[in-house]
Amino acid sequence: MFLKVSNIKKYYGEGDNKVEVLKGINFDIKKGEICVLLGPSGSGKSTLLNIIGAIDNADDGYIAINGEKTIDMNEKSLTRYRRKHLGYVFQFYNLIPNLTVKENIEVGAYLSDSPLEINELLKTLGLYEHKDKIPSQLSGGQQQRTAIGRAIIKNPDILLCDEPTGALDYKTSKEILKLIEDVNKKYGNTVIMVTHNDAIKKMADRVIKLRDGEIRKNYINDVKVNAEELEW
């Protein structure tokens, strides 16, 4: 199995104030799958994504990619793990304001031994004609496309998306979801996407529903819907 999540537990606070945010999470994801982590605010989905992304540490359990366990890694190895395996897309774009679209994306390329070809990626992203603009000259959708480009140019094994459409309108959200779908098909990256939007689950290969720090459902979609056909 490509990605294994084994008995992940996470606590916040101490003593009487100790809260268990993740209560022993277990699931596997195959290479190239789109997996949607679904649940209301406070369900633990973003915390789980951050643990998979080695941004946060679990208090128990482990994450393994191709058998490499994060629990066995020192800080130097964890940095290499993030650089080698992971690309991050957040709700807020975190672009560098005085760099152009192309330069913002190239920042990600410096983290890779085998980055994708920049001009081809700009065309895939629909940004080629905007490549010399700075973020303040872009729409929200174009900024999110740039952020996806920065994450994907290093050709990561896993693309982690935390509410990637949360700050966008309906039409732009669907365009971004289609772009994530296209990137998955073209480059074969495994996609793990956190959302509270129930409709997005229909474009996933695997759906994992969380509530109160536990998995309530974990299933494969028999019939996937193309992102551009989603409605909510």
Side-chain angles (χ1 to χ4, degrees), residues 180-193:
I180 290 170
E181 185 178 69
D182 289 347
V183 162
N184 168 258
K185 287 177 182 172
K186 183 167 185 175
Y187 300 114
N189 316 81
T190 304
V191 176
I192 305 176
M193 180 163 32

Side-chain angles (χ1 to χ4, degrees), residues 15-218:
D16 293 340
N17 297 319
K18 192 172 184 179
V19 177
E20 193 173 16
V21 181
L22 296 173
K23 303 173 181 176
I25 302 292
N26 294 281
F27 62 88
D28 299 326
I29 298 177
K30 293 178 182 174
K31 190 165 179 58
E33 278 188 337
I34 295 178
C35 173
V36 165
L37 298 177
L38 198 61
S41 295
S43 60
K45 57 190 188 300
S46 289
T47 301
L48 178 58
L49 194 77
N50 287 341
I51 290 171
I52 294 170
I55 294 171
D56 201 355
N57 296 317
D59 291 311
D60 198 3
Y62 65 86
I63 308 293
I65 296 181
N66 279 339
E68 285 185 79
K69 295 182 183 179
T70 53
I71 200 169
D72 297 333
M73 297 179 191
N74 59 25
E75 193 53 49
K76 188 175 180 181
S77 299
L78 271 174
T79 299
R80 193 162 57 243
Y81 164 90
R82 292 185 200 104
R83 288 176 62 161
K84 178 181 175 185
H85 292 302
L86 304 171
Y88 304 90
V89 180
F90 301 102
Q91 180 174 344
F92 302 104
Y93 323 118
N94 298 324
L95 300 176
I96 300 168
N98 59 339
L99 296 186
T100 65
V101 166
K102 186 176 182 181
E103 289 166 344
N104 262 287
I105 292 173
E106 283 175 330
V107 167
Y110 300 136
L111 301 174
S112 174
D113 298 328
S114 54
L116 301 174
E117 204 283 311
I118 180 74
N119 287 323
E120 182 190 346
L121 180 60
L122 282 163
K123 289 170 185 171
T124 299
L125 296 165
L127 289 172
Y128 187 75
E129 63 273 29
H130 304 290
K131 67 182 186 295
D132 297 322
K133 293 180 180 177
I134 59 172
S136 62
Q137 297 173 307
L138 303 174
S139 68
Q142 289 166 340
Q143 289 186 62
Q144 188 61 296
R145 285 171 181 270
T146 305
I148 291 170
R150 180 183 56 198
I152 208 74
I153 191 165
K154 63 177 186 169
N155 204 14
D157 294 321
I158 301 176
L159 187 63
L160 300 168
C161 305
D162 194 358
E163 298 279 7
T165 62
L168 303 172
D169 61 49
Y170 175 73
K171 179 175 179 292
T172 309
S173 293
K174 286 179 63 172
E175 289 173 359
I176 292 300
L177 292 170
K178 183 179 186 306
L179 175 60
I180 290 170
E181 185 178 69
D182 289 347
V183 162
N184 168 258
K185 287 177 182 172
K186 183 167 185 175
Y187 300 114
N189 316 81
T190 304
V191 176
I192 305 176
M193 180 163 32
V194 159
T195 183
H196 63 266
N197 184 341
D198 200 62
I200 293 175
K201 70 184 182 189
K202 295 176 183 174
M203 68 175 279
D205 297 292
R206 178 178 299 278
V207 180
I208 296 172
K209 287 194 169 186
L210 292 168
R211 192 170 73 236
D212 296 332
E214 296 180 299
I215 292 178
R216 303 294 178 171
K217 290 183 181 177
N218 176 1

